[in-house]
């Protein structure tokens, strides 16, 4: 493992591999004692370095994948044009139902390219039609939106560099299937403050640290491998 002291994150740590042809990279920030959100959002945990890294990882991805709950809580808008590739990465929102999205949400209105919303095929056709009528691309997918089904759908669309932004439910689905290749973790020194609603998340699927850096405010950036689930025959009784 290599560790660097940096005023800004070292971009060389975040190069995407040339092979294999398909790579899933997670990105998350955790505060002290596994703090995940403060008052429903993760923004309070970050600093200028983490925000710059967030943008850079998006700028170098083909597609950004996020759960519907996180997209609504964080008031996601469409992806911006990349300063690295001059392209607009696709934004895919994974949700159990289209009914939880408003036609006026930033996901649908504040965009450069239409947002893709992947929902279960059993979703109400009226809700699907409602979002399609205002420009969203809604894709009812067979099955229970398991991670391997979603990965197959992304591969059919021709995406190679997948940036997975959470939330915990989506991370866990991908991790359970062994489909996260690496994860970019920012360890924030921010701790829970009295009077604020907090959520904690401990991702037990995180593996060894491969590369790391620390900035002047004590934020630690890590690139970690991700543990693969044991085959059923190897699972302890």
């Amino acid at each position: 493992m290599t560790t660097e002291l940096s005023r800004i994150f070292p971009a060389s740590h975040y190069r995407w591999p040339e092979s294999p042809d398909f790579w899933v990279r997670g990105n998350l920030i955790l505060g002290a004692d596994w703090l995940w959100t403060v008052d429903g959002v993760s923004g309070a945990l970050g600093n200028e370095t983490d925000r710059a890294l967030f943008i850079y990882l998006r700028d170098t991805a083909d597609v950004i994948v996020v759960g519907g709950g996180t997209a609504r809580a964080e008031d996601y808008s469409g992806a911006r044009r990349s300063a690295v590739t001059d392209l607009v990465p696709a934004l895919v929102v994974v949700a159990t139902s289209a009914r939880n999205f408003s036609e006026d949400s930033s996901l649908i209105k504040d965009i450069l390219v239409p947002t893709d919303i992947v929902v279960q095929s059993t979703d109400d056709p009226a809700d699907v039609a409602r979002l399609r009528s205002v420009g969203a691309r809604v894709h009812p997918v067979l099955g229970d939106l398991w991670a391997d089904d979603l990965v197959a759908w992304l591969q059919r669309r021709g995406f190679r560099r997948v940036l997975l932004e959470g939330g915990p439910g989506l991370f866990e689905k991908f991790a359970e299937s062994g489909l996260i290749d690496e994860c970019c973790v920012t360890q924030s020194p921010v701790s829970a403050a009295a009077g604020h609603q907090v959520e904690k998340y401990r991702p037990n699927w995180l593996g060894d640290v491969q590369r790391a850096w620390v900035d002047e405010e004590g934020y630690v950036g890590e690139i970690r491998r991700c543990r693969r689930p044991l085959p059923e025959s190897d699972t302890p009784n």
Side-chain angles (χ1 to χ4, degrees), residues 115-169:
T115 298
D116 291 286
I117 302 176
V118 179
V119 298
Q120 291 177 320
S121 59
T122 54
D123 205 8
D124 188 338
D127 286 312
V128 172
R130 173 176 57 83
L131 294 185
R132 284 176 172 170
S133 71
V134 292
R137 295 189 292 220
V138 186
H139 310 272
V141 174
L142 292 174
D144 295 321
L145 295 181
W146 296 115
D148 49 358
D149 298 324
L150 182 57
V151 162
W153 183 84
L154 292 168
Q155 290 175 320
R156 289 195 298 271
R157 295 283 306 276
F159 298 122
R160 294 181 57 249
R161 299 174 171 180
V162 180
L163 181 63
L164 189 65
E165 292 186 345

Side-chain angles (χ1 to χ4, degrees), residues 169-192:
L170 197 60
F171 278 133
E172 291 297 321
K173 280 190 174 183
F174 270 73
E176 286 169 5
S177 299
L179 293 171
I180 305 177
D181 296 295
E182 68 178 5
C183 192
C184 305
V185 182
T186 301
Q187 301 281 2
S188 165
V190 174
S191 58

